[in-house]
Amino acid sequence: MEGLIFIAPSAGIISLAFATFFANNVLKEHTGSKRMQEIAGAIQEGSVAYLSRQYRTIAMVSTMLMVLILFLFDDGLKVAVSFLAGAISSTAAGYIGMSVSVRANVRTAYAASSGIEKALSVAFRGGAITGLAVVGLALLGTSGFYILYGDVNLVVGFGFGASLISLFARVGGGIFTKAADVGADLVGKIEVGVPEDDPRNPAVIADNVGDNVGDCVGMGADLFETYVVTSLAAMLLGSLIVNVYENAILYPLVLGSTAIFASIISMFFVKLGREGNVMKALYKGVAGSVIISLVSFYFVTNSLMGNPGLYYAAFIGIIIMVLMVVITEYYTSTRYRPVKSIASFSETGAATNIISGLSIGFESTLLPTVVIVVGILASYFIVGGTTNPEIGLYGIAISAVAMLSTTGMVVALDSYGPITDNAGGIVQMAKLPAHIRKVTDALDAVGNTTKAVTKGYAIGSAALGALALFADYRNKVNLGGQSLNLDDPVVLAGLLLGALLPFIFSAVTMRSVGRAAFEIVNEVRRQFREVPGIMDGTARPDYGRCVDIATKAALQKMTLPGFLAILAPLLVGFLLGPKALAGLLIGLIVVGFMVALLMDNGGGAWDNAKKLIEDGAHGGKGSEAHKAAIVGDTVGDPFKDTAGPALNALIKVVNMVAILFSSLIMGKGLF
């Protein structure tokens, strides 16, 4: 069984090799006319400029933390090196996603002239590159440091580095993209009346740049760190039961390795059928990865563990993933009641649109919570949690690992979204024929759903993964056998502080979007007012000014949420003690999960209600319902693309800080 340890890094390398293969295929595609290349170049230039400045800012924070780790811990050098590697790997995952997206967009736009099948192929392969790069780097880094150090506890630094970068990428990218989007929509669509992606809108390039730095970089870094910390949590819990299952630490890595091959094979299943249904074509890939993973998990579990209950736990994780996808699509797709009801309420104005959207967001927390609760209980008891609680918790962690096993395919679906969104913008700005825009619109409509679906997937996996991380924290601070009673004022204080964190965090990020959007709105208004030639096409807008405003706002405002995530658990742990910090983690996991569901699903429903009206329902474009839906969408934008997704990263960063500093927190505090 010694050779098993090298399966994971080998799978990671193979995943990166296939990512390179797909990248070469995509880059061979035609880039279109000179005008298309100019537009794509502007988007690429803005994306690279923003990302470079963002990473310089993050590098300063990371360096300070690395020095702190170096001097605080006994194995400080090893932990600091793994922390740095985690930060660099997370950065690479995000950068690869952005680099591919800003090159695949114009190629997808040109491919649309040959029909929807060709355009779908280019866009999906572009997304697949990001998906395979994310899981390849995650598996390679986690397994590589475990092989190097031989102690899973020293790999915690790798997970912390990944989580920290993910948080900054999510917050910074979210502020940028939504400030630009809100500014472009409020002035362009409502006040001036120009259509989506119109080249006369001064914020249009910033909007397209935002799609890349928000969805590609943000989601790539988010699911990279989710994959890493969930695998790490399972390995940490596995180290507690190696006397019962000798392969308990390696088992999560082998599951991830086999799932990589399932994702690679399934990516070749994504083909447009005779019915021309794009969503069905993408779901073929998801179905293939699920089925192949389930079959391979059975043989892996029998060979390594000998406990059929662990296979059933993995099976439950896959079922949770499928159900989260189905539920999220129900609440955010234009085909179902929630989005249709918001569109209908838009006929009576923005107020009723916003009321109905909030109602749908609140409602959307029910089914995912039930699914997660049933999954937790089933995974715990089915592996024997009643006789050995540590094995039960390990079963929950394995369920989370299995849920994340399809990350390669899921990230491919998510990255497909901004590629098609940008492709539609390039077609519009280059003034290509209407039949080409019709193709990109069809692809983009599906992309909106895939982006929403992946957010629901990320939230569910964060909840399961965070529970496993919390179990490891309790063990590290010797709270494993103690009850965390609600009548204990220390626990209750921590619980309330943890429940407070998502609200304060969301307030900070939402306010940042509002302030940045305020500046962009005023800038767009100024250009329309002072440069009259913009509207008749005789004058060129100053696109760079809006990009610069969004960039500065994102960089200035992303540091406070990051420091909040780091300082909150440290202050509670050192001042109030490990028991209060345990309460904080529980409150954060529970409330953060609910608020993230509300924001992501509500925001996605608002977005697609607007698109449903733009497709002709309830009066179509330019109607009063359309104007109300635009207002609702601008409220939902920071919900679903800034605060909501960033809560996933917040939950895991706080848990990783608690685990990393657990040895220093023990014995500290007033209680």
Side-chain angles (χ1 to χ4, degrees), residues 263 392 445:
S263 292

Side-chain angles (χ1 to χ4, degrees), residues 66-85 145 148-149 154 157:
M66 188 175 68
V67 172
L68 188 67
I69 291 169
L70 190 63
F71 289 102
L72 283 179
F73 298 101
D74 293 337
D75 290 305
L77 180 60
K78 291 182 177 180
V79 178
V81 169
S82 64
F83 166 78
L84 180 62
F145 274 98
L148 180 65
Y149 292 156
L154 296 177

